[in-house]
């Protein structure tokens, strides 16, 4: 299935899942507008080296057309400029992937009243506010022609699981809710709206956290046994690309999906050819209290 001739926009596309989703949409042939705060000239507050220009180049190298647009999605004026660039292209918007995050430095875990209040408020502002601004400014483009796809990227597909942080948990639940309820508002326009989560990511930042690289990531299992079921960001990227290319994708509208549930549907693999199923692992190992060191990870990949 191909996305040739389709136009996508990915927010939070500087690194991690956002970058990989943009690249996989490009690999399917789409023109992808990639938005984020970090460019080669402007560094974001978290101080990482990845840039949106690099993401756009990776999209183009994968077979699509990448267009980098610097944007702080907490600012409506920036989002207006992002929309204007898409409008200048003149082909409308077929896919909107709302992955903006920016909470890396502000995520804290523990009883809410013991944590830094300013960090918790900033976490909400950089995520929920940014998603709302993005939706308000870009949904008019997505709904201008029938059949648009909205993907709200979150963490987790189960509202019953608590992430051990009131602010972080409420952010992810809110974003998941956006993907579900906007299905009603997109329905009259023939649009599809979903939320999607990756599993245990091997993002740039997570690899650095464990002191490993993609080449030797398995060394991190000694520190965190559940990392045996980790996945590259391209896994959820391929999930989004498969969904976007599916002419019958509307059957999923209003649902909270995951990389592993869409893998079961479409059969794609991660970069190494495996099919990590974090959902099964979470239920049968993590929640069941099984020692992950004793679990046969190959059964879940």
């Amino acid at each position: 299935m191909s996305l040739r001739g389709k136009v996508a926009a990915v927010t939070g596309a500087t690194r991690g899942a956002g970058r990989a989703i943009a690249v996989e949409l490009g690999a399917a042939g789409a023109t992808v507008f990639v938005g984020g705060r970090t460019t080669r000239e402007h560094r974001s507050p978290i101080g990482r080296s990845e840039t949106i220009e690099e993401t756009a180049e990776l999209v183009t190298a994968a077979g699509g057309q990448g267009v980098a647009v610097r944007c702080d999605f907490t600012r409506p004026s920036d989002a207006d400029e992002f929309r204007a660039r898409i409008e200048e292209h003149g082909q409308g918007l077929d896919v909107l992937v709302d992955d903006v995050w920016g909470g890396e430095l502000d995520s804290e875990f523990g009883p809410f009243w013991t944590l830094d209040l300013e960090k918790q408020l900033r976490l909400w502002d950089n995520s929920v506010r940014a998603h709302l601004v993005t939706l308000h400014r870009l949904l008019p483009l997505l709904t201008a022609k029938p059949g648009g796809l909205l993907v709200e990227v979150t963490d987790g597909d189960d509202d019953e699981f608590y992430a051990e942080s009131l602010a972080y948990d409420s952010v992810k639940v809110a974003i998941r809710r956006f993907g579900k309820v906007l299905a009603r508002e997109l329905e009259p326009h023939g649009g599809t709206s979903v939320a999607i989560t990756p599993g245990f990511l091997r993002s740039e930042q997570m690899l650095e956290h464990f002191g490993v690289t993609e080449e030797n990531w398995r060394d991190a299992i000694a520190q965190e046994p559940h990392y045996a079921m980790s996945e590259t960001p391209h896994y959820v990227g391929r999930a989004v690309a498969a969904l976007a290319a599916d002419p019958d994708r509307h059957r999923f509208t209003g649902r909270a999906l995951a990389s592993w549930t869409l893998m079961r549907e479409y059969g794609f693999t991660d970069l190494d050819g495996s099919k990590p199923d974090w959902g099964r692992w979470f239920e049968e190992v993590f929640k069941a209290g099984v020692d992950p060191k004793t679990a046969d990870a190959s059964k879940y990949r």
Side-chain angles (χ1 to χ4, degrees):
M1 294 185 285
S2 171
L3 294 175
R4 189 70 58 187
K6 301 296 184 181
V7 178
V10 182
T11 72
T14 313
R15 63 188 66 83
R19 168 175 282 191
I21 291 170
V23 170
E24 292 298 337
L25 290 170
T31 295
V32 188
F33 288 82
V34 298
R37 295 180 295 180
T38 307
T39 70
R40 290 177 175 138
E41 295 182 352
H42 300 88
R43 296 297 178 182
S44 75
I46 66 173
R48 293 192 57 83
S49 62
E50 300 89 3
T51 69
I52 55 170
E53 292 96 340
E54 291 170 354
T55 301
E57 291 164 1
L58 290 168
V59 170
T60 301
Q65 179 182 356
V67 183
V69 184
R70 184 177 188 271
C71 186
D72 181 341
F73 288 97
T74 66
R75 300 177 179 176
S77 59
D78 277 23
D80 286 337
E81 293 177 10
F82 188 79
R83 180 176 64 186
R85 289 291 302 276
I86 299 173
E87 290 174 326
E88 288 170 7
H89 183 67
Q91 301 297 317
L93 183 63
D94 301 289
V95 180
L96 172 57
V97 180
D98 200 359
D99 181 58
V100 65
W101 167 224
E104 289 92 336
L105 298 182
D106 297 319
S107 296
E108 294 184 333
F109 297 86
F112 177 70
W113 60 92
T114 68
L115 306 179
D116 185 311
L117 178 59
E118 288 305 314
K119 285 187 175 183
Q120 308 313 298
L121 295 177
R122 191 162 55 240
L123 182 72
W124 187 269
D125 197 53
N126 281 335
S127 50
V128 174
R129 173 186 169 88
H131 276 252
L132 289 172
V133 170
T134 299
L135 293 167
H136 189 269
R137 292 307 201 248
L138 296 186
L139 281 181
L141 283 183
L142 191 70
T143 57
K145 55 182 179 180
L149 171 65
L150 169 65
V151 179
E152 285 285 299
V153 182
T154 185
D155 181 8
D157 64 345
D158 182 0
D159 290 343
E160 295 183 4
F161 179 74
Y162 177 49
E164 305 301 329
S165 168
L166 174 63
Y168 182 93
D169 187 83
S170 61
V171 162
K172 299 306 181 180
V173 169
I175 293 170
R176 186 157 57 246
R177 186 69 175 165
F178 293 167
K180 291 181 178 181
V181 301
L182 282 170
R184 295 189 180 185
E185 298 190 14
L186 267 62
E187 187 68 32
H189 306 278
T192 298
S193 176
V194 300
I196 191 168
T197 181
F200 204 159
L201 271 184
R202 295 203 301 275
S203 63
E204 303 93 340
Q205 192 167 18
M206 188 60 70
L207 289 170
E208 288 183 13
H209 171 74
F210 287 123
V212 296
T213 65
E214 180 57 30
E215 287 66 36
N216 70 336
W217 69 268
R218 291 182 180 277
D219 292 348
I221 298 174
Q223 304 174 57
E224 172 49 82
H226 292 293
Y227 213 49
M229 206 46 51
S230 63
E231 61 194 55
T232 76
H234 285 267
Y235 200 48
V236 72
R238 291 176 173 182
V240 172
L243 181 67
D246 184 354
D248 192 31
R249 63 175 175 265
H250 191 68
R251 69 190 186 278
F252 293 112
T253 197
R255 289 182 54 183
L257 304 172
S259 57
W260 59 89
T261 56
L262 289 176
M263 172 274 293
R264 299 169 191 167
E265 182 74 21
Y266 298 113
F268 56 82
T269 68
D270 205 343
L271 294 180
D272 63 359
S274 68
K275 297 180 179 180
D277 194 326
W278 174 257
R280 278 189 59 216
W281 179 274
F282 185 78
E283 291 294 327
E284 298 176 12
V285 179
F286 187 93
K287 284 180 68 175
V290 174
D291 183 351
K293 297 178 182 178
T294 68
D296 182 2
S298 64
K299 292 171 50 180
Y300 299 86
R301 296 193 71 89

